[in-house]
Amino acid sequence: MQQQKIDIIQDGEEIPQNLVTKYGLSGRDFTYFYSDKKEKNVYYSNFVGLIRSGQDDSILFSMPKHYMNKDKFLNLDLTHQYQIIKSITKSINKAIDISQFTRYKHNTDVVGTFSFESYHQICNYYQTYGLYRNLGNYYKKGSGRHISWKKTISLSNEYFIDGKLMIIPFVTKKKLKLTNIITDCMIFVLNYTQAMYGNFIEVYPAPELIEYGINPKILENVDGIIEQLFQIKTRIFKDKEKQLIDNLIIFLKRVNSKSKKVSQAIKDYNYEHVWEKAVEEYLNIHFDDVKDEQLIFSKKVLNKYHFKKISSNYDKNNEKRRLEPDHYYFNKKSKSLYIFDSKYYIKIDDLNHKQLVYHFLFGNKEQAKKIYDALIVPYEGPTMTEVHVNILSEFLKDNQKVKIYLCKLNSNSVIKEFIK
C-alpha cells in the first residue's frame, strides 16, 4: 500500500507557492508580502490544522509555531506523524471545550469541513443513551407487567367462571423501538468521522456500528436530509433530543455529496488561544519557582500555584479600559506576585510595555514585596529562561529592580500535558 503523502508547513512561516495552489489556500489561510528580493508575493501560513487534498489522498499539516522542526517531522514514520497531528487537533478541540465556559469563544476561530463541537455532542449522546430510538406503543394478548384494561375490555371476551366475571385474555402494552432518520444520521456521523478523520483526530470508537458503513444516500442528499431533520425537530419536545438534532444538522452542513472529492479541512486561525490555555494548565501543574533568573519547572505534579487570567479596570472614567494579564498569581503570605503573559510569537525583540504597566499597577495594588514578570513563548528545544528586559536604575526609585524574563517553554511538553 502506498504511503500517504504529508506536506508540512508551519504557522507564521513561508508557504511554497505550489502548496498554496495544490490545497486551494485562500482568504484567512495566509498573509502575504511582496518580496523585492524574490520579485513576487511571498505567502505565510496563518493557521494551525490540516487540509486533506481533493486531488489525491495527500495531507497538508500546518504545525504550531515552534512546535517541532519541519525536517524532524518529515523524518518520522507515518504512525508518529499521525500521532502528532492528532495531538494538535486534540489541543484545538480541548480549547474549544474550555472556551464554552468563558467569554472567550475560541470555536469561532476554528473553521473547516468538520465540526468538533457537534461531533463530540453527538458522541456524548451516544455514550449516554445509545442510538436514538423512536418509541411506539403496541399491544399484545397475554399476561405481562403492563396490562391495558381499556384494550382488554374492548378486545377480549367475557366469561363467567365459578360465578365470577372474567375477561380473558389480558392485553398488555409493549414498547416498540423504531429506528428513523435520526438514528441513521447518528450512525453516519460516527462512521464517517472514523473513516475520514480517524488518523488525525481523537474519535469515539464504535466498532458495533462498522457493519452499517457510510450510508451513501445521506451523502447524496445532504440538503434533503437536513430539511427532514428540521421538520422532525418541530415534533420533538425533549431538550436533549432537540440538541441532538441541532448537532446532526451542524455536522451535516459541513458535508456535501462530493465530500470525498473536495478538500477536507480543520483550521484554527487563533492558536494563540490554545497556547494560552495550555500554558496556564502547565504552570499550575509543573511550575516550581523563579530561581537564579530561571523559571523552574518540575517533571512531577506539583500543583503549587493557581494561575488564572484576570481582568481589572484601572480607569475611573472608563470601565472598558482594563488590564488583562494571562497568568496571574499573588501569594498573600509571602507577598510575592507572579505576572506571566503567553506570547504565541516566532520571536520577541522589542520591549513589551504592557508588561511594565502590569508590574507597576498590580504591584502597587497588591503592595507586593517581590514581583516576577515573564513572557512565555513556544520553543522546540529544552525549556530555558533569559532576561528579556532589565530596567536601568536611573529610571526607578527606592532601589527598585524590574526584570522581565523571556521563558522559552518546550511546546511538545506543554501540549502533551494539555491533552492528557
Side-chain angles (χ1 to χ4, degrees), residues 76-273:
L76 297 173
D77 60 53
L78 193 61
T79 300
H80 285 101
Q81 290 178 342
Y82 284 158
Q83 288 175 351
I84 290 171
I85 296 173
K86 191 172 288 190
S87 295
I88 300 306
T89 56
K90 189 175 180 181
S91 72
I92 295 170
N93 178 53
K94 182 172 180 179
I96 292 173
D97 289 341
I98 292 173
S99 73
Q100 301 310 303
F101 305 101
T102 72
R103 63 192 181 93
Y104 302 98
K105 300 300 181 185
H106 183 58
N107 57 330
T108 59
D109 297 307
V110 180
V111 302
T113 51
F114 180 82
S115 171
F116 278 116
E117 189 176 357
S118 60
Y119 171 71
H120 285 287
Q121 290 296 329
I122 294 164
C123 287
N124 288 340
Y125 183 98
Y126 181 66
Q127 289 175 283
T128 306
Y129 306 105
L131 290 172
Y132 175 85
R133 293 286 190 268
N134 183 22
L135 298 179
N137 295 328
Y138 74 100
Y139 298 90
K140 182 179 181 181
K141 290 184 176 181
S143 60
R145 293 178 60 187
H146 303 287
I147 297 174
S148 172
W149 292 109
K150 183 177 180 180
K151 291 291 183 182
T152 297
I153 292 170
S154 64
L155 298 177
S156 299
N157 298 316
E158 298 179 354
Y159 298 93
F160 281 94
I161 301 175
D162 295 331
K164 295 180 179 179
L165 177 65
M166 301 291 291
I167 303 175
I168 54 177
F170 296 124
V171 178
T172 57
K173 184 168 69 173
K174 303 285 186 179
K175 290 286 187 181
L176 177 63
K177 292 185 178 181
L178 304 170
T179 61
N180 66 7
I181 191 172
I182 300 176
T183 311
D184 293 340
C185 287
M186 285 184 69
I187 295 172
F188 171 83
V189 167
L190 295 171
N191 285 346
Y192 175 87
T193 303
Q194 174 67 59
M196 297 297 291
Y197 298 103
N199 288 326
F200 314 114
I201 68 170
E202 187 176 43
V203 296
Y204 176 77
E208 67 277 10
L209 302 180
I210 292 176
E211 63 180 292
Y212 294 98
I214 299 174
N215 189 341
K217 292 182 179 179
I218 294 179
L219 277 177
E220 292 165 3
N221 187 28
V222 172
D223 292 338
I225 297 294
I226 290 173
E227 180 59 34
Q228 291 182 56
L229 289 173
F230 273 119
Q231 292 176 10
I232 292 172
K233 185 182 172 184
T234 63
R235 302 193 297 270
I236 285 180
F237 301 99
K238 293 182 179 179
D239 287 341
K240 67 175 183 291
E241 293 173 357
K242 286 184 176 181
Q243 290 170 3
L244 172 63
I245 294 176
D246 284 340
N247 284 301
L248 289 171
I249 290 170
I250 292 169
F251 187 95
L252 292 173
K253 280 184 175 180
R254 303 282 182 91
V255 177
N256 59 61
S257 61
K258 299 177 181 178
S259 60
K260 290 194 175 183
K261 297 180 182 179
V262 301
S263 296
Q264 302 287 309
I266 300 169
K267 294 179 282 192
D268 187 342
Y269 293 113
N270 186 16
Y271 199 77
E272 179 179 0
H273 179 91

Side-chain angles (χ1 to χ4, degrees), residues 6 67 77 88 153 176-178 275 297 379 389-390 407:
I6 298 182
Y67 182 78
D77 60 53
I88 300 306
I153 292 170
L176 177 63
K177 292 185 178 181
L178 304 170
W275 177 247
F297 297 89
Y379 189 53
V389 175
N390 191 357
C407 177

